[in-house]
């Protein structure tokens, strides 16, 4: 069973500095297996307890957060991205490098967070599970004419669907009217997802 992060999981600044180099190297390797590119500008990172702990530790380091209240606020923000059993969570990045690309893509990709599907098996008739946008983040997406460059989503799978992930293949499919792409997940990524799904 996956356990959400609590205050005692977050090291204070001095303790974190002692572990940071090794922990950062571990997370870089972990994210290589959890990062998926779909089409030219969309990247997903499937999050887990370790990647979210790293995110919070780095935020605390950069912003010099030292009080329990400040750290708890970060835990409240990011804990929804720690997957529970039968669940996958991801941060979705629209990766753009210029103002011209921002003007081109962000208005055209409104609603992209609701157009991400996991296809469980091969062929057009394979079952698909649509992502759910994180409710707290979705409330902030109030503009209809432009989307954000970062989204938080999750998938809730039944035990039968988890079995389909294990038997493979698994694909990420985007069915947005302005962005239709798919990508078959490699074995290492599927292995990471099974750890999340099975707890």
């Amino acid at each position: 069973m996956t356990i959400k992060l609590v205050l005692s999981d977050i090291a204070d600044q001095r303790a974190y500095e002692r572990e940071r180099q090794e922990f950062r190297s571990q997370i870089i390797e972990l994210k290589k297996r959890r990062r998926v590119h779909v089409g030219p500008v969309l990247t997903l990172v499937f999050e887990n307890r370790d990647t979210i702990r790293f995110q919070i530790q780095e935020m605390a380091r950069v912003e010099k957060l030292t009080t329990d209240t400040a750290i708890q606020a970060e835990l409240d923000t990011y804990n929804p991205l720690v997957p529970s059993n039968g669940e996958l969570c991801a941060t979705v990045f629209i990766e753009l490098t210029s103002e011209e690309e921002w003007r081109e893509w962000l208005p055209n990709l409104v609603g992209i967070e609701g157009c991400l599907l996991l296809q469980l098996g091969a062929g057009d008739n394979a079952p698909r599970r649509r992502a759910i946008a994180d409710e707290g983040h979705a409330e902030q997406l109030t503009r209809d004419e432009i989307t954000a460059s970062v989204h938080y989503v999750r998938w809730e799978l039944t035990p039968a669907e988890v079995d389909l992930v294990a038997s493979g293949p698994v694909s990420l499919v985007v069915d947005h009217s302005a962005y239709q792409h798919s990508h078959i997940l490699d074995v290492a990524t599927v292995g990471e997802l099974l750890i999340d799904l099975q707890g």
Side-chain angles (χ1 to χ4, degrees), residues 73-176:
E74 297 299 317
L75 289 166
D76 293 343
T77 297
Y78 289 103
N79 254 335
L81 285 172
V82 177
S84 301
N85 288 5
E87 186 176 78
L88 298 171
C89 297
T91 302
V92 182
F93 300 94
I94 302 173
E95 298 194 306
L96 307 171
T97 58
S98 69
E99 186 176 339
E100 182 180 353
E101 287 183 338
W102 283 64
R103 286 198 303 266
E104 175 188 355
W105 283 104
L106 295 185
N108 289 326
L109 293 180
V110 171
I112 190 75
E113 70 277 7
C115 298
L116 307 169
L117 301 100
L118 279 179
Q119 179 171 306
L120 310 175
D124 293 337
N125 294 323
R128 292 180 171 186
R129 172 66 72 176
R130 189 171 297 274
I132 302 164
D134 176 72
E135 292 84 355
H137 182 66
E139 288 175 3
Q140 301 170 26
L141 303 177
T142 55
R143 293 177 292 176
D144 294 331
E145 71 276 8
I146 192 167
T147 194
S149 59
V150 178
H151 297 271
Y152 304 109
V153 300
R154 71 180 186 277
W155 289 266
E156 298 173 353
L157 277 64
T158 66
E161 289 170 333
V162 173
D163 290 344
L164 289 175
V165 172
S167 61
V170 179
S171 300
L172 263 172
V173 178
V174 186
D175 68 353
H176 191 280

